[in-house]
Amino acid sequence: MTKVLIHTRAPQRHIARLTEAHPEVIFDGCNSFEKLPDTLARFAPDVLFSVNFTTNEPYPRDAVLSSGIKWVSTGGSGTDHFAPWNTEDITVTNAAGVAASMMVEYVLGCAIHFNIDVPGLTTDKISRTWQSDRNVRSLSSQTLLIVGLGHTGRLLAERAKAFGMTVIGTRANPRTTPYCDEVHSSESLPQLWPRADVIAVCTPRLPSTLGLIGRTAFALMKPDVVLINVSRGGVVDEAALIEALSQNRLRGAAMDVFGTEPLPADDPIWEAPNLLISPHCSAVFDGWEDTSITMFSDNLGRYLAGETLSNVVDPIRGY
C-alpha cells in the first residue's frame, strides 16, 4: 500500500479528510522540523506533503531527499528549500496559485497604503495636525511593473487593470499575457525600472534572481516608487533597500520575505523609514492549508492512478 506522510502543524485534521478520500492509503503525520527526519526513517513513506512554516530551525532538506521518497508535494509555491534535487530520483510539486488571490490583495493594499500616505496620516493624527493641502494619489494614473508573471503575477495584472493601471511585466519566455500592456524578459529590467510607479516582486528565488534588486536597480527607479516584495528572501538586497529608503529614494516599500526568517530583533532593517514589514504572511489566510490539501488530494488521486501529476516543478526554472 502507498504510504503518505503529512507534515503540517496539525496533520491529524488533514489526515482525517485524506483518509476519507483515499481509504487505500496509509497516512501518518508529523508537526515539526525537528521530528521530521526520525518520522521519515520510521514510517518510510512513498509520498510527503510538507509545509515550510517559519521557524528558527532550518528545513531538514537532506533528510527528505535522502529518505527514498518518490514524490514531495510542498504546501506552498516556493521550492527553493528543496533545491537542488535530482528529477530522476524524486518528483517535487508545489501548490502554485493556492494563495494568489490573497497575495494580490496584499500587494494592492500596500500600494494603496503608500498612495494615500497612511504613514503621514498616522503622524498627523498623533500630532493632531490638520493639513488642508494634503493630496492622495490614484493608482489609475500609475504604471505597475510585475517582476515575475507566474500565477500571482498574472492575477495581479488582472486586478490592477480594474484600477486602470498600466501593467508591464517580465517572464522567462516573454509572450502576450492577458491584462499586460507589455511583457519583457528579465534582461530588460534596467529599462523598466525607471518607468514604474509601483513594483511588485513575484519572481521565484533562483541563482539568477538572488540580489536581483540591489543598488544598481534602486539607482534607476523613480524617486517616488513603491516597492512590494512577496517573492522570497534574497531577491531584494536588504542592505541596498535600507540605504535607498534612508536616502528617500523610494516613497515606500513593503517586505513580506527576508533572507533570514524569523527576522532578528537587532536587524537594521527594522529601523528603515517608510517600510512595512510583515512576517511572511501575505499568503497566509484562514483556510489556505485546507485549500492546499485539496489540491494535494486531487494530485494524490492522479499519483495512485499512474497519471501525470499537476504542478511538477523544474528545479532549474524553480517553478
Side-chain angles (χ1 to χ4, degrees):
M1 295 180 72
T2 298
K3 295 195 291 184
V4 177
L5 179 62
I6 304 301
H7 174 231
T8 67
R9 291 194 186 276
Q12 295 308 318
R13 180 168 63 87
H14 303 309
I15 288 173
R17 283 184 56 202
L18 290 166
T19 299
E20 184 176 349
H22 307 283
E24 72 278 29
V25 174
I26 300 173
F27 292 97
D28 200 354
C30 177
N31 63 1
S32 75
F33 287 176
E34 180 183 6
K35 299 174 187 175
L36 187 56
D38 288 342
T39 306
L40 288 167
R42 172 186 57 79
F43 184 54
D46 305 291
V47 178
L48 170 68
F49 175 87
S50 180
V51 172
N52 184 24
F53 31 81
T54 300
T55 173
N56 288 312
E57 302 171 70
Y59 188 86
R61 169 190 175 273
D62 293 343
V64 171
L65 297 186
S66 64
S67 65
I69 282 178
K70 300 173 184 177
W71 168 31
V72 174
S73 175
T74 185
S77 59
T79 57
D80 53 283
H81 53 296
F82 292 119
W85 66 87
N86 187 341
T87 56
E88 294 182 2
D89 297 332
I90 191 169
T91 297
V92 176
T93 63
N94 66 6
V98 66
S101 184
M102 185 67 253
M103 293 174 75
V104 166
E105 290 183 32
Y106 176 96
V107 170
L108 292 172
C110 290
I112 292 170
H113 171 91
F114 287 109
N115 264 310
I116 65 176
D117 191 21
V118 170
L121 291 171
T122 302
T123 299
D124 288 351
K125 179 178 182 293
I126 293 171
S127 64
R128 302 190 180 195
T129 300
W130 183 275
Q131 293 197 40
S132 300
D133 59 348
R134 177 179 287 281
N135 290 325
V136 294
R137 304 187 184 205
S138 172
L139 290 180
S140 65
S141 61
Q142 298 188 354
T143 295
L144 169 66
L145 168 59
I146 303 173
V147 183
L149 286 167
H151 286 78
T152 301
R154 294 195 299 273
L155 183 58
L156 175 57
E158 178 181 351
R159 302 279 173 83
K161 271 299 175 187
F163 282 92
M165 300 186 79
T166 298
V167 179
I168 56 179
T170 64
R171 60 190 309 174
N173 298 300
R175 57 187 181 274
T176 301
T177 302
Y179 305 102
C180 291
D181 296 283
E182 301 173 23
V183 179
H184 301 267
S185 69
S186 57
E187 286 74 23
S188 299
L189 282 170
Q191 289 76 50
L192 301 180
W193 299 130
R195 298 176 54 191
D197 300 293
V198 179
I199 298 171
V201 188
C202 307
T203 188
R205 175 187 167 119
L206 302 168
S208 60
T209 62
L210 286 175
L212 178 68
I213 303 175
R215 286 182 173 84
T216 300
F218 286 124
L220 293 171
M221 293 178 190
K222 292 182 177 181
D224 61 349
V225 69
V226 173
L227 176 74
I228 304 159
N229 184 14
V230 292
S231 59
R232 302 290 272 188
V235 175
V236 172
D237 182 329
E238 292 169 23
L241 175 62
I242 294 171
E243 181 181 285
L245 287 168
S246 299
Q247 297 175 0
N248 294 316
R249 288 192 278 116
L250 282 77
R251 180 149 44 100
M255 291 280 285
D256 186 53
V257 290
F258 298 87
T260 300
E261 295 181 3
L263 188 62
D266 60 353
D267 195 298
I269 201 166
W270 286 105
E271 301 296 327
N274 297 320
L275 175 64
L276 279 174
I277 290 177
S278 56
H280 204 148
C281 65
S282 65
V284 181
F285 61 92
D286 289 344
W288 81 266
E289 239 180 51
D290 291 333
T291 303
S292 185
I293 283 287
T294 298
M295 294 174 68
F296 169 68
S297 181
D298 292 344
N299 230 5
L300 181 58
R302 297 183 185 92
Y303 178 86
L304 296 171
E307 299 173 357
T308 301
L309 296 175
S310 297
N311 287 347
V312 174
V313 178
D314 180 335
I316 303 300
R317 294 187 304 167
Y319 56 90

